[in-house]
Amino acid sequence: MAALIEVLAAGLFHAAVLFLVAAGLQLVFGVQRILNLACGSFYALGAYLGVTAGGLALGAGLSPLLALPLLVLAGAAVAALGPPVERLLRLVYDRDESFQLLLTFALVLMFQDLIRMGWGSQPQQVEGVYLAYGQVQLGAARIPVWNLLVLAAAIAIAGGLGLFLQRTDFGRILRATAENRRMAASLGVDTGRVYAAVFTLGTALGGIGGALVVPAAAAVPEKAVELVVEAFAVVVIGGLGSMPGALAGAAIVGLLRAGALLVWPELELLAVYAVVVAVLLLRPAGLFGRPAA
Amino acid sequence: MRTTRRELLAGAAAAAAPLGAALPLPAYAQARPLRVGILAPRAGVAGTVGEVGLKGVEFAVEKLNAAGGVAGRRVELVIEEETNPRETVERARRLALQERVDVIQGVVSSGVSLALGPALEESRILTVFWDGTTQDGVNETMPRPRWVFRSTDNECEAVMGSLMAIKHFRGQFLTVAGINPDYSYGRNNWAAFLALLRRFNIEHRVVTEQWPRVGGMDLTANVAALKAANPDLVFSSLLFADLPVFMRQAHAAGLLEGRKWVFPAAGFQHTALKKEFTPPGMVFGHNTLYFADPQATPLAREFVQWYHERTRDWPHWEADRAFFAMEVWRRGVEKAVQAKGGGAWPSNAEIAEAIRGIEVVSLGGPGRMRPDGVAEQTFIQGLTVHDPRYDFPILGPDRITRMDGRQLQKGPGQDFWRWIAEARFDL
């Protein structure tokens, strides 16, 4: 039982990080119809900003226990890149999807080099945070508190996003724009502003994901590409453009991976992508996506 | 009269010929510094490794030039980055053709050296690898190269780590687990460990085998799976940044307690394995250089101090590999020059021939270049302790073991698995 709890917790920790990146991807695709590969770069940048902010703050004597809000803020600071990148993407809004993919992949490579220029090529870590939070004992199971905090933060962000999209005026405008951009524009919605806001929000989500995972892992420039592949598995399973789909897809990928490592480690990737293939064949729109009319 | 460019060049050549003939050409050539081309990774997961190797080269060249150079000629470095195999082959050609280097040294990745070896051999470029082999897995692809000299087998450290596990932990474990990087290095290391357990008739049962990707970083699920399998002993050749990440996550999950641990490649990131999450009593491999070796030579101690003053860090084995490569080349040059009796400078073919079988003392201990062009060096492993002078574990001074490469590496032309099954190992 203890082993099962620990495997479940590890799977959900991974799912939480995947959700934050995939949620940004979904939000941007849902409203702007852009497949944004650069979401992986925002995750990597968030991780590096987390390393810098964490290092500076801890060096100045900040208690490691205050690292969580600090890292959320550091990750959210990646949002500053949202408006200029969105401005660039306007050039390909009405072009074929292959242009969008190529442009956003070019951004991934450019950000990778910028990260190397800014932080160097060596993997970087935030020392002294992960273990400072201790562990919780659930019977014989022991789970790092930081992992639970990241999970809680992802759930809180998912809930906040749901409330924002469903209950606020801007959320309704945003959904209306996602539904029919021209109609929204003709009703007086400033769709340019909506696009910039959505993209900035998606950027912040990726950055927060990166900053929250870095105390448990390490920041490496190459992580952007690897993560974006996994995030795409999440959105294919959950359904492109669907926020509940991002949540379900991330949970499925995280738990499947952890379960495979427990039962048959050689099947770690196969298990995840077998589900991706099954979804593409049996329900191409994903579990929560709407089939194309 | 109008002079064409061709006439002008012909006239200039005619005028210069007697001048050239009057010059003492060999002495002129010998006054030119010897140029050493270096290929080292500067970015990515192996970036740190490359930087440490470059420090080893810098130290070696500083010492050489202070002592009057190699056979009286100063040494100059031309550094290029080791990246992927295709680009690195191009850079090696540039070093040879444009920079006109006398020798190429370096290369950390066997993926790169596998591609680079045949290209350099074909182009007759004298090369001494730091850490790259020309093995496809454990099978040699260049049985007797003439121009290319390679490093020791990558599996040496796993063979020694396995022997150390048997020596120190025999009778204290039944269930074993592995967490090793998912490529041929990790797979061969784990297979070598199991083969040696069988060879020594150690009763054991494998309870899980984990294969994380290099640079995967999130190892929480692997940690949970290992804990669920509850092994008595874990063998791991994780390296680069993955190992500190694994240790931190394993410590937080309570995986490290009450088990035996064997880390044959941990020395690559020894200073990143902080004491707060790295317990004492583990088998810990420092490969061919242990910075706090009580039996270190005065030169090795000088290097460690020199390195620490410049980086505020402690060096690992890549510095020794780089120093060893420079040292076997230097000794080869000097031997070839001596064989010439002080006449013309020896050709690269003569230098390559002189390198075969040469014995040197590197920073980590004695070593040699076998006649088949494969290095043999001293390996150092031991059991860890926590020492108040360092914030990471070091080897207990009375628990250090040294092994010569001869005992850890298959002989020329041998099959690795048959060698493991038949070799005589001295514990």
Side-chain angles (χ1 to χ4, degrees):
Chain A
M1 188 60 186
L4 199 66
I5 292 171
E6 286 178 348
V7 170
L8 200 70
L12 289 175
F13 171 67
H14 188 62
V17 177
L18 275 179
F19 166 73
L20 290 173
V21 179
L25 189 70
Q26 297 284 57
L27 201 59
V28 170
F29 183 81
V31 178
Q32 292 165 271
R33 302 286 148 193
I34 284 260
L35 273 171
N36 178 28
L37 294 177
C39 63
S41 301
F42 302 138
Y43 167 89
L45 276 165
Y48 277 97
L49 284 178
V51 167
T52 302
L56 287 174
L58 296 177
L62 183 84
S63 163
L65 298 176
L66 293 173
L68 184 73
L70 175 80
L71 289 176
V72 170
L73 285 175
V78 180
L81 285 171
V85 174
E86 192 274 337
R87 189 74 191 80
L88 181 71
L89 290 176
R90 283 183 197 180
L91 299 172
V92 293
Y93 277 159
D94 296 323
R95 296 176 79 170
D96 190 75
E97 280 166 3
S98 57
F99 282 96
Q100 301 172 358
L101 284 171
L102 281 172
L103 182 65
T104 55
F105 188 64
L107 287 174
V108 170
L109 299 180
M110 287 163 65
F111 279 123
Q112 203 161 299
D113 272 359
L114 287 173
I115 285 173
R116 283 208 182 98
M117 285 163 63
W119 283 274
S121 58
Q122 321 303 348
Q124 297 196 19
Q125 294 171 300
V126 181
E127 296 289 351
V129 172
Y130 189 61
L131 299 177
Y133 281 79
Q135 298 89 20
V136 285
Q137 199 78 37
L138 296 171
R142 191 198 285 188
I143 300 164
V145 171
W146 183 264
N147 292 11
L148 294 176
L149 287 174
V150 171
L151 184 59
I155 292 170
I157 288 170
L161 264 178
L163 284 176
F164 167 71
L165 291 172
Q166 299 295 329
R167 301 286 171 84
T168 66
D169 285 347
F170 193 72
R172 290 187 191 99
I173 289 169
L174 205 145
R175 282 188 290 130
T177 309
E179 199 73 35
N180 191 326
R181 178 164 64 107
R182 286 186 182 169
M183 178 66 81
S186 64
L187 290 173
V189 172
D190 182 349
T191 53
R193 196 170 70 90
V194 169
Y195 279 14
V198 164
F199 195 85
T200 303
L201 185 57
T203 309
L205 287 173
I208 291 170
L212 286 181
V213 86
V214 82
V220 286
E222 296 78 13
K223 193 68 188 168
V225 176
E226 192 184 315
L227 199 85
V228 88
V229 174
E230 232 177 334
F232 266 92
V234 168
V235 300
V236 167
I237 292 171
L240 202 52
S242 158
M243 205 50 79
L247 200 58
I252 288 169
V253 170
L255 291 174
L256 255 180
R257 194 174 152 256
L261 287 173
L262 177 69
V263 180
W264 196 349
E266 300 278 5
L267 297 185
E268 178 192 357
L269 286 180
L270 195 147
V272 171
Y273 289 99
V275 173
V276 168
V277 169
V279 168
L280 283 173
L281 292 176
L282 302 173
R283 197 178 162 81
L287 299 179
F288 289 82
R290 274 183 302 181
Chain B
M1 187 182 81
R2 187 163 175 251
T3 307
T4 64
R5 190 176 54 174
R6 187 172 294 181
E7 285 164 350
L8 182 69
L9 286 173
L19 184 67
L23 286 171
L25 277 179
Y28 202 59
Q30 282 169 34
R32 180 180 76 84
L34 288 165
R35 289 165 73 76
V36 177
I38 301 288
L39 290 166
R42 313 292 293 267
V45 287
T48 327
V49 176
E51 294 299 333
V52 177
L54 286 170
K55 280 276 174 288
V57 166
E58 198 185 316
F59 176 76
V61 170
E62 218 174 80
K63 299 296 284 182
L64 282 178
N65 285 338
V70 175
R73 290 172 67 180
R74 285 183 62 76
V75 175
E76 276 181 7
L77 294 175
V78 187
I79 298 169
E80 280 279 2
E81 188 176 356
E82 172 192 344
T83 52
N84 61 48
R86 188 181 53 78
E87 284 176 8
T88 310
V89 167
E90 288 309 312
R91 291 191 177 122
R93 289 210 169 105
R94 199 189 79 76
L95 283 174
L97 300 174
Q98 282 182 15
E99 297 289 347
R100 299 197 159 277
V101 297
D102 296 278
V103 62
I104 289 178
Q105 298 174 16
V107 183
V108 168
S109 157
S110 285
V112 171
S113 55
L114 254 174
L116 198 55
L120 296 174
E121 182 70 14
E122 199 181 303
S123 306
R124 301 179 169 209
I125 298 167
L126 182 59
T127 305
V128 188
F129 288 143
W130 290 352
D131 216 347
T133 75
T134 48
Q135 291 197 136
D136 180 9
V138 291
N139 302 316
E140 186 54 64
T141 58
M142 293 174 65
R144 280 194 73 85
R146 189 174 170 200
W147 305 91
V148 173
F149 295 86
R150 76 157 171 87
S151 71
T152 59
D153 289 359
N154 288 329
E155 292 71 31
C156 285
E157 61 214 33
V159 170
M160 182 165 179
S162 307
L163 295 174
M164 295 286 289
I166 293 165
K167 177 182 171 181
H168 292 292
F169 302 146
R170 192 202 292 248
Q172 299 174 56
F173 66 90
L174 173 66
T175 51
V176 297
I179 175 161
N180 294 281
D182 192 12
Y183 66 110
S184 65
Y185 168 77
R187 298 222 171 225
N188 287 330
N189 280 357
W190 173 242
F193 170 66
L194 296 180
L196 280 160
L197 290 185
R198 287 192 294 273
R199 174 87 165 77
F200 281 86
N201 295 317
I202 307 285
E203 188 187 354
H204 66 278
R205 187 160 50 84
V206 176
V207 287
T208 186
E209 296 173 338
Q210 299 288 315
W211 305 106
R213 291 183 302 283
V214 176
M217 296 303 167
D218 179 10
L219 297 160
T220 47
N222 302 93
V223 166
L226 278 170
K227 206 171 164 205
N230 195 23
D232 300 324
L233 181 146
V234 181
F235 177 95
S236 173
S237 48
L238 285 178
L239 68 178
F240 303 133
D242 291 317
L243 184 56
V245 167
F246 170 74
M247 292 303 287
R248 194 184 287 121
Q249 293 175 351
H251 173 77
L255 173 66
L256 300 176
E257 296 152 18
R259 291 175 226 285
K260 306 294 178 195
W261 290 89
V262 183
F263 291 108
F268 245 164
Q269 48 287 306
H270 58 144
T271 58
L273 295 167
K274 303 301 179 197
K275 281 195 285 198
E276 64 173 324
F277 55 83
T278 311
M282 306 181 315
V283 168
F284 198 103
H286 279 278
N287 203 286
T288 60
L289 177 69
Y290 173 46
F291 79 100
D293 188 351
Q295 289 185 27
T297 62
L299 183 70
R301 286 175 202 274
E302 184 189 336
F303 168 69
V304 169
Q305 204 51 42
W306 178 94
Y307 184 94
H308 188 64
E309 280 163 12
R310 279 158 182 77
T311 64
R312 311 315 303 164
D313 201 356
W314 302 104
H316 60 61
W317 80 75
E318 207 57 50
D320 169 74
R321 298 300 190 90
F323 187 92
F324 176 84
M326 188 66 79
E327 192 62 0
V328 294
W329 171 74
R330 175 187 76 85
R331 293 286 308 281
V333 170
E334 290 180 349
K335 190 174 152 191
V337 166
Q338 213 167 22
K340 284 277 194 185
W345 189 260
S347 67
N348 266 356
E350 288 166 326
I351 293 169
E353 207 43 50
I355 288 175
R356 286 173 204 291
I358 217 153
E359 299 263 348
V360 299
V361 177
S362 190
L363 297 174
R368 69 201 63 82
M369 188 58 78
R370 280 190 340 203
D372 65 339
V374 176
E376 269 176 352
Q377 293 194 250
T378 303
F379 279 72
I380 303 150
Q381 297 193 4
L383 291 182
T384 52
V385 293
H386 284 180
D387 184 303
R389 289 172 296 171
Y390 304 100
D391 65 349
F392 55 93
I394 62 165
L395 300 184
D398 55 341
R399 311 307 293 275
I400 296 174
T401 301
R402 267 179 197 74
M403 289 184 82
D404 189 288
R406 281 195 194 100
Q407 299 170 273
L408 300 170
Q409 184 166 242
K410 66 182 187 295
Q414 275 187 303
D415 172 76
F416 178 71
W417 304 113
R418 176 167 285 190
W419 170 74
I420 280 199
E422 294 172 354
R424 188 166 164 231
F425 294 105
D426 184 11
L427 287 178

